[in-house]
Amino acid sequence: MQQLSAQDAQFLYLETGNNLTHVMGVNIFDPSTAPKGKVRFKDIIAHVESRLDCSPVFRRRLLRLPFDFDHPYWVEDEFFDIEHHMFHGRLPDPGDWRQFCIHLSRHFSRPMDMNRPLWDMYVIEGLGRIKGLPKGAYAIATRVHHAAIDGASAMHFFSALTDKNAKGTPAIDLAPARSAPATAPSALTVLNRALASNLQSPVKMASTLLRFSPAIWSAVRHSMGPGAERSSKVPQTRFNRPVSPHKVFDAAIFSLADLKQIKAKVEGATINDVVLAISAGALRKYLQHHGELPEAPLVAIAPINARTSHGEAETPGNRLSAMSVALPTYAENALERLRLIRDTTSHTKAAKSGISARLMTDLSKHVPAATLAGVARLVAGGRFTSRFCNLFISNVPGPQKPLYMNGARMVHTFALAPLADGMGLFIATPSYNGEMSFNIISDREMLPDIEFLRQCLEESCAELLEAE
Amino acid sequence: MQQLSAQDAQFLYLETGNNLTHVMGVNIFDPSTAPKGKVRFKDIIAHVESRLDCSPVFRRRLLRLPFDFDHPYWVEDEFFDIEHHMFHGRLPDPGDWRQFCIHLSRHFSRPMDMNRPLWDMYVIEGLGRIKGLPKGAYAIATRVHHAAIDGASAMHFFSALTDKNAKGTPAIDLAPARSAPATAPSALTVLNRALASNLQSPVKMASTLLRFSPAIWSAVRHSMGPGAERSSKVPQTRFNRPVSPHKVFDAAIFSLADLKQIKAKVEGATINDVVLAISAGALRKYLQHHGELPEAPLVAIAPINARTSHGEAETPGNRLSAMSVALPTYAENALERLRLIRDTTSHTKAAKSGISARLMTDLSKHVPAATLAGVARLVAGGRFTSRFCNLFISNVPGPQKPLYMNGARMVHTFALAPLADGMGLFIATPSYNGEMSFNIISDREMLPDIEFLRQCLEESCAELLEAE
């Protein structure tokens, strides 16, 4: 019986009816390398089944306490059935890229089954008509709830499913996950523990009721320290309003070689800086086109991995921190924007914290579970986020060699991440085998012309490539 | 702003991670009568959109209170989008009846999106390979949460979607639903109301905590009166254990003419009695085959519609009551079983109540919302149900003329209904256009040979037809 950490539980408390907190990885496969050039749905089920022991995420479900009295526990799902987690479908007509983006957006916008282990896979066939994809191409859209996994351990989860060649040699060492068998604890045990945990914390049990009270505000403000004043400088944009349940998705793919070429143009710049610079350039173009470019720089929160070593990635769960970066959207010159970003991030990393990082760690240390739940919901409610930043940009490095599943070669990888009220734009940039996809996740009403923002990303990258 | 009745809310409180309380109607269509013999997914969306005003169910969502402090409210979904509620898919290979049953079982076993209006529709194409179905046949599986609708108002909901001919003449009068616009109330209003409602009730506010206490038991026992003793006579069967989340489905279709012919064999028998007799015969065969036939009669709960008039059916919501009927599974002779059932039901209807009906009404009158939620969960937890009955049998009469949608003729109708721990078998028998389908809903482990029980139903019906 393992209890969720405050940070993992946070993603449950953050979840509202409109903004779900699962992530979705989308991998495209080319079956031409598979035996007989074909992969059936049941082959995929059998393959996943053979890897179930590699991650505890597959078989454990949440045990949530009455009133969220204390953080939930992970328990083995006594009714585990792999087929409950696997869906099978075909892209409807006309089967083009736009249709695919719509199909993924819809799937992503729907809630997961929170009563079972927090993952599911949707095999989407019939992608052969999408420009640039091989005949017979299919996608596997894998959803995992953020409470179960963070960016880095998601990488481990996905890697455990893949092979390094068409013959089926696992991509990584498949040591079974070390986790004690977790049977469901009795209600009494759990309530006693929760009671103890609430009593030991500085705020008393009664604080559970404070969740719905504005009084919690002052405590939160205090925990944020003097940095809170900075918030007034974050400009308001179309992305910083309440977010609807209807998400939209589109993506552009860039070669890592191009990104490295851009990086080399500014001394001391990192790939992460290039990602931020491409995003800054695209946002400038997009907002300028709509006559909405603010004078002040847009502020991005970039989640950073706070794990101490690489080995830790094998233990699922969240070790996330985040930094807040001013994007020089006001600057006209592309290389100048990259230089300004390099200056900012090297400074921020030295300080080793941003507003958001401090908020996260302070709260999870000193506030008991039930109160934290309330604060997380306030944050998710958008009263905080829009005052601290305009968008999320996440950059999770992925494997740089070709991967396979069922003998089919993985040709591209995409990722969708959750939004929150007041923060209606997420740019996720996973990399794979020499390329990086820039995935735009937003709200249908905020970004009705999402393909135009994708085009702005492409132009922004091209501009940096040409700049001297 | 409309509050749910105790009975409607009950279906929310009853819902556990393993037993969801939505219903699913499955209609099969023959597109050969449609314009150009073809119906596209977007035609179906457009048709449903044209009927949205006929039922408030389409656009309203639940507003649930913290701690289920009081029964939830219905509010307009400010983010309503019809496409969020419509799914599109194709039956995977081999596309036969068994595959179709599995596909429906899986869909039914997954939770609905409880944050949006409580309905969704899944259009399943590619049924042409199922024996007896026309070329191009497709199904529409419509799920509605039981909190939003009961059997009779479900009929209204479905009827409002259908036409009486291929030209698109609505099947029923499409007067817009009379419902005041319901915007989301402020949290304060709702909490104040809840507080008042809890204080006015005989049990004080503190009773919310009793939900998790065994003390509630004595109150419940008391409310059930002397009838509670009868419970010890209900035999235990394979269906009266905790139910897994993995439901199974199969169905047989009988002609109403045949059922009427059977009815005529026993004076005073009703079609409902015939339904019970066919079920009793099938269960006898099935349990005998497995060497599990108990000596005592199996006990069925048959929900009955407690509405006072037919007109009320237009107001969605639950006016359900139920009677408990002993099924003479011990009797060898088929007609003798029908006679015994006639004797029992005429007596039960006169008494106008069964154990379950009394339990439902007493509780919903005298116990405040939060406590009722706890009791409902105890009931759903199976500690009650298995002591009162072995299975559910529901018989909701449907339209006896052919219906159409998008010009396509509806050829069959099926229905899936929820299970509860301790009650792992439901036989639902909707009728349509001269036929009645017997739908078996159970748990995969309890009923691994569901097609054998379907066969028993067919044999039981044939036996009654031949009996003299």
Side-chain angles (χ1 to χ4, degrees), chain B residues 158-173:
Chain B
F158 286 113
S159 303
L161 287 169
T162 53
D163 300 325
K164 60 183 165 194
N165 55 40
K167 283 178 289 178
T169 313
I172 57 165
D173 180 30

Side-chain angles (χ1 to χ4, degrees), chain B residues 103-423:
Chain B
H103 206 71
L104 291 175
S105 307
R106 295 261 164 80
H107 182 58
F108 182 68
S109 299
R110 293 192 177 111
M112 302 181 63
D113 185 346
M114 300 299 290
N115 305 306
R116 310 263 71 83
L118 297 178
W119 67 280
D120 59 41
M121 284 189 179
Y122 179 24
V123 176
I124 309 167
E125 297 175 353
L127 307 190
R129 274 185 282 174
I130 294 176
K131 214 179 135 188
L133 290 191
K135 192 166 158 272
Y138 60 91
I140 303 185
T142 307
R143 299 193 300 176
V144 186
H145 200 280
H146 222 319
I149 216 160
D150 67 9
S153 52
M155 273 297 157
H156 178 82
F157 177 86
F158 286 113
S159 303
L161 287 169
T162 53
D163 300 325
K164 60 183 165 194
N165 55 40
K167 283 178 289 178
T169 313
I172 57 165
D173 180 30
L174 291 184
R178 279 142 296 186
S179 90
T183 46
S186 76
L188 201 65
T189 313
V190 161
L191 281 173
N192 278 341
R193 282 196 188 205
L195 202 65
S197 134
N198 266 280
L199 287 174
Q200 282 160 10
S201 71
V203 188
K204 286 202 209 99
M205 243 182 71
S207 73
T208 50
L209 288 171
L210 279 179
R211 281 204 272 174
F212 305 97
S213 145
I216 199 73
W217 271 82
S218 59
V220 173
R221 270 206 205 93
H222 178 74
S223 81
M224 289 179 332
E229 286 148 37
R230 254 204 284 163
S231 61
S232 57
K233 288 186 195 150
V234 174
Q236 286 302 299
T237 75
R238 60 162 68 204
F239 302 114
N240 307 112
R241 297 190 305 227
V243 172
S244 90
H246 311 300
K247 306 302 188 283
V248 285
F249 163 80
D250 202 335
I253 293 177
F254 302 125
S255 91
L256 275 179
D258 284 353
L259 302 190
K260 281 176 190 159
Q261 202 181 318
I262 295 169
K263 170 175 110 94
K265 296 183 187 202
V266 170
E267 208 193 321
T270 63
I271 286 288
N272 196 48
D273 294 339
V274 175
V275 168
L276 295 174
I278 291 175
S279 303
L283 286 165
R284 177 180 162 84
K285 275 175 210 293
Y286 180 88
L287 293 173
Q288 207 165 36
H289 173 85
H290 287 287
E292 297 171 9
L293 184 65
E295 279 180 34
L298 260 59
V299 177
I301 294 278
I304 50 176
N305 188 352
R307 291 169 183 285
T308 47
S309 83
H310 240 271
E312 267 188 66
E314 286 159 35
T315 319
N318 290 288
R319 296 281 193 291
L320 274 185
S321 191
M323 63 177 181
S324 114
V325 190
L327 299 180
T329 36
Y330 53 85
E332 268 188 50
N333 182 282
L335 275 190
E336 175 65 12
R337 287 195 294 266
L338 178 53
R339 270 189 291 270
L340 287 164
I341 286 170
R342 174 206 55 192
D343 296 346
T344 311
T345 59
S346 53
H347 168 80
T348 310
K349 275 176 194 160
K352 277 196 176 163
S353 80
I355 291 171
S356 177
R358 197 184 306 130
L359 179 70
M360 282 192 200
T361 49
D362 276 1
L363 284 182
S364 43
K365 261 182 219 149
H366 304 309
V367 186
T371 316
L372 181 58
V375 174
R377 284 198 194 108
L378 283 179
V379 172
R383 299 202 248 174
F384 278 98
T385 44
S386 63
R387 291 176 53 220
F388 292 115
C389 70
N390 298 106
L391 74 156
F392 254 96
I393 299 179
S394 99
N395 167 18
V396 178
Q400 294 309 317
K401 283 176 187 167
L403 293 174
Y404 297 79
M405 222 174 118
N406 294 100
R409 187 161 181 272
M410 192 168 120
V411 289
H412 299 297
T413 187
F414 302 101
L416 286 80
L419 303 177
D421 273 350
M423 173 122 62

Side-chain angles (χ1 to χ4, degrees), chain A residues 17-18 66-67 79 81 83-84 86-88 92 106 109-111 113 115-116 209 211-212 244-246 444, chain B residues 17-18 66-67 79 81 83-84 86-88 92 106 109-111 113 115-116 209 211-212 244-246 444:
Chain A
N18 299 334
F67 308 151
F79 295 114
D81 174 7
E83 298 197 15
H84 189 80
M86 312 266 313
F87 316 115
H88 188 193
R106 295 261 164 79
S109 299
R110 293 193 178 110
D113 185 346
N115 305 306
R116 308 263 71 84
L209 289 171
R211 282 204 272 174
F212 304 97
S244 90
H246 312 300
R444 200 177 49 187
Chain B
N18 299 335
F67 308 151
F79 294 114
D81 174 6
E83 298 197 15
H84 189 80
M86 313 266 313
F87 315 117
H88 188 194
R106 295 261 164 80
S109 299
R110 293 192 177 111
D113 185 346
N115 305 306
R116 310 263 71 83
L209 288 171
R211 281 204 272 174
F212 305 97
S244 90
H246 311 300
R444 199 177 50 186

Side-chain angles (χ1 to χ4, degrees), chain A residues 110-351:
Chain A
R110 293 193 178 110
M112 301 181 64
D113 185 346
M114 299 300 288
N115 305 306
R116 308 263 71 84
L118 297 178
W119 67 280
D120 59 40
M121 284 189 179
Y122 179 23
V123 176
I124 309 167
E125 297 175 353
L127 306 190
R129 274 185 281 174
I130 294 175
K131 213 180 136 189
L133 290 191
K135 192 166 158 271
Y138 60 91
I140 303 185
T142 307
R143 299 193 299 176
V144 186
H145 200 280
H146 223 319
I149 216 159
D150 67 9
S153 51
M155 273 298 157
H156 178 81
F157 177 86
F158 287 113
S159 302
L161 287 168
T162 53
D163 300 325
K164 61 182 164 193
N165 55 39
K167 284 177 288 178
T169 313
I172 57 165
D173 179 30
L174 291 184
R178 279 142 297 186
S179 90
T183 46
S186 76
L188 201 66
T189 312
V190 161
L191 281 174
N192 278 341
R193 281 195 189 204
L195 203 65
S197 134
N198 267 280
L199 287 175
Q200 282 161 9
S201 70
V203 187
K204 284 201 211 101
M205 242 183 71
S207 73
T208 50
L209 289 171
L210 278 179
R211 282 204 272 174
F212 304 97
S213 145
I216 199 72
W217 271 83
S218 59
V220 173
R221 270 206 205 93
H222 178 75
S223 82
M224 290 180 329
E229 286 148 36
R230 254 205 284 163
S231 62
S232 56
K233 288 186 195 151
V234 175
Q236 287 302 299
T237 75
R238 60 162 68 203
F239 303 113
N240 307 112
R241 296 190 306 227
V243 171
S244 90
H246 312 300
K247 307 302 189 282
V248 285
F249 163 79
D250 202 335
I253 293 178
F254 303 125
S255 90
L256 275 179
D258 283 354
L259 302 190
K260 280 176 190 161
Q261 202 181 319
I262 295 169
K263 170 175 111 94
K265 295 183 187 200
V266 170
E267 208 193 321
T270 63
I271 286 288
N272 196 47
D273 294 339
V274 175
V275 167
L276 295 174
I278 291 175
S279 304
L283 285 164
R284 176 180 163 85
K285 275 176 210 293
Y286 180 88
L287 293 173
Q288 206 165 37
H289 172 86
H290 287 288
E292 297 171 9
L293 183 65
E295 278 181 35
L298 261 59
V299 177
I301 294 278
I304 51 175
N305 188 353
R307 292 169 183 283
T308 47
S309 83
H310 240 271
E312 267 189 66
E314 287 159 34
T315 319
N318 289 289
R319 296 280 193 292
L320 274 185
S321 191
M323 63 177 181
S324 116
V325 190
L327 299 180
T329 36
Y330 54 84
E332 268 187 51
N333 182 282
L335 275 190
E336 175 65 12
R337 287 195 294 267
L338 178 53
R339 270 189 291 270
L340 287 164
I341 287 171
R342 174 206 55 192
D343 295 346
T344 311
T345 59
S346 53
H347 168 80
T348 310
K349 277 176 195 161

